[in-house]
Amino acid sequence: MAEIKKFFGMSLIMGCINMKRLRMYWSKKTRVPIIANSMSRTRFFKIRNNLKVVDNFLVNEHEKKVDRLWKVRPFVEQIRTACAQVARGDKVSIDEQMISFTGRCPARQYVPRKPSPTVTFSADKVMKKKDRGAMEQFVSANQKHEQISIIKWFDNKSILIASSSHGLEPRDECRRWCKKTKSFLTVPRPAAVREYNKSMGGVDLCDQMVSYHRFTARSKRWPIRVIMHLTDVAVNNCWLEYRRNNTSSKIMQLYDYTVFC
């Protein structure tokens, strides 16, 4: 267990000290002592190539068929359970996170932009011909008979958003820069987009912070990419909680927190 902890610690530091190739951390010319002195290169690669969070023989064939993430399920549940214990307000914004991976993966999604919804809206070309700020709405009910508003709003590109508490109304206006006229325009905006923008800070902040010190080493094994991504997210969330609860004037930056904690 101590060796596994050391492996994860080294991986986090590698995210803070990025190099083009993993072997460079042990190379004579580019050697990083905090990495090279902790574990040999051979041992690090052996752990990385064989790391698992579930015993394949303890998972039956039915579970493997119905759960595409069964190889990382225990780790995902650990992170999810810990996140659920963090106090949150009554306004919560939900967004997806994409983990870049080009190898074989059962849960992959090719995203040139974003996945399209099953609800039918006007095509982007049609909405683009209308004034900027054109919007459409579709309202449906979930299994609990709660209404869900799905909105397509065309700003400089189409934006899709779903809300359980807000719809188009009451609309307001926002300022947008127009490249064509080189001036600001007043654009109508749905209420759901306005409220989302107020509460989306945590979503974007998490994405932004994770990108600063992400463990980016390539791997042919998708479970490694998922495990390391969730580790980065967990460290980022811990730092945000540390910053929120720290009353001292001296607060460690994310880099220092990642390296020294």
Side-chain angles (χ1 to χ4, degrees), residues 41 65 79 88-89 129 176 187 242 259:
R41 185 187 68 187
K65 289 181 180 179
I79 301 296
R88 57 180 181 269
K129 292 179 180 178
R176 290 291 188 268
V187 178
Y242 153 78
V259 172

Side-chain angles (χ1 to χ4, degrees), residues 121-124 127 134-136 151-154 158-160:
F121 289 104
S122 297
D124 287 358
M127 297 192 73
M135 59 188 80
E136 295 178 0
I151 297 169
K152 182 174 184 178
W153 178 53
F154 199 91
S158 62
I159 295 173
L160 292 168

Side-chain angles (χ1 to χ4, degrees), residues 70-106:
W70 65 270
K71 289 187 177 182
V72 294
R73 180 57 61 189
F75 197 78
V76 171
E77 289 303 311
Q78 286 279 352
I79 301 296
R80 188 190 66 80
T81 302
C83 289
Q85 294 174 355
V86 178
R88 57 180 181 269
D90 52 355
K91 290 185 177 181
V92 180
S93 294
I94 301 173
D95 204 349
E96 83 282 352
Q97 282 191 328
M98 300 296 179
I99 303 174
S100 59
F101 182 73
T102 56
R104 296 180 62 183
C105 176

Side-chain angles (χ1 to χ4, degrees), residues 1-252:
M1 181 60 70
E3 198 172 37
I4 296 299
K5 289 181 178 179
K6 188 178 294 185
F7 169 83
F8 276 96
M10 292 169 66
S11 299
L12 290 172
I13 293 174
M14 288 175 178
C16 297
I17 310 173
N18 272 312
M19 290 194 174
K20 296 295 183 181
R21 300 177 61 191
L22 279 178
R23 297 178 184 274
M24 294 177 69
Y25 293 100
W26 288 270
S27 178
K28 289 183 179 180
K29 293 183 179 180
T30 56
R31 189 175 188 272
V32 180
I34 194 172
I35 299 292
N37 294 339
S38 298
M39 186 183 294
S40 69
R41 185 187 68 187
T42 302
R43 186 59 178 170
F44 180 88
F45 275 90
K46 187 172 183 179
I47 293 175
R48 182 170 177 265
N49 293 336
N50 294 279
L51 183 65
K52 295 182 178 180
V53 295
V54 64
D55 188 338
N56 295 3
F57 296 104
L58 297 180
V59 182
N60 60 52
E61 292 302 318
H62 175 71
E63 289 182 77
K64 291 179 181 179
K65 289 181 180 179
V66 299
D67 186 4
R68 293 183 178 182
L69 299 179
W70 65 270
K71 289 187 177 182
V72 294
R73 180 57 61 189
F75 197 78
V76 171
E77 289 303 311
Q78 286 279 352
I79 301 296
R80 188 190 66 80
T81 302
C83 289
Q85 294 174 355
V86 178
R88 57 180 181 269
D90 52 355
K91 290 185 177 181
V92 180
S93 294
I94 301 173
D95 204 349
E96 83 282 352
Q97 282 191 328
M98 300 296 179
I99 303 174
S100 59
F101 182 73
T102 56
R104 296 180 62 183
C105 176
R108 63 187 180 276
Q109 174 72 57
Y110 174 63
V111 186
R113 283 185 57 207
K114 295 270 182 159
S116 299
T118 55
V119 179
T120 302
F121 289 104
S122 297
D124 287 358
K125 291 182 179 180
V126 175
M127 297 192 73
K128 192 174 183 179
K129 292 179 180 178
K130 302 177 182 180
D131 292 336
R132 189 172 176 178
M135 59 188 80
E136 295 178 0
Q137 178 178 234
F138 177 84
V139 179
S140 65
N142 59 19
Q143 294 178 350
K144 297 181 180 180
H145 303 290
E146 298 171 335
Q147 288 191 333
I148 304 295
S149 173
I150 305 173
I151 297 169
K152 182 174 184 178
W153 178 53
F154 199 91
D155 189 8
N156 59 341
K157 63 179 181 179
S158 62
I159 295 173
L160 292 168
I161 187 170
S163 175
S164 60
S165 58
H166 300 283
L168 293 181
E169 308 295 343
R171 309 180 191 191
D172 71 341
E173 295 180 336
C174 58
R175 295 183 71 199
R176 290 291 188 268
W177 178 257
C178 178
K179 293 182 179 180
K180 187 176 181 179
T181 62
K182 294 184 179 181
S183 61
F184 283 101
L185 301 176
T186 300
V187 178
R189 176 176 60 178
V193 174
R194 180 186 67 247
E195 294 302 318
Y196 174 74
N197 288 339
K198 289 181 180 178
S199 307
M200 68 185 290
V203 177
D204 282 353
L205 183 60
C206 179
D207 286 341
Q208 181 182 4
M209 291 301 174
V210 168
S211 68
Y212 288 156
H213 309 302
R214 178 183 285 118
F215 181 71
T216 56
R218 298 182 64 179
S219 174
K220 294 181 180 179
R221 297 181 58 225
W222 69 265
I224 289 293
R225 295 293 297 122
V226 174
I227 290 170
M228 299 316 303
H229 175 79
L230 292 178
T231 301
D232 288 334
V233 171
V235 171
N236 173 73
N237 288 349
C238 289
W239 177 74
L240 291 174
E241 284 300 299
Y242 153 78
R243 192 179 67 169
R244 181 189 301 174
N245 299 328
N246 196 322
T247 57
S248 172
S249 58
K250 295 182 179 180
I251 298 179
M252 283 191 291

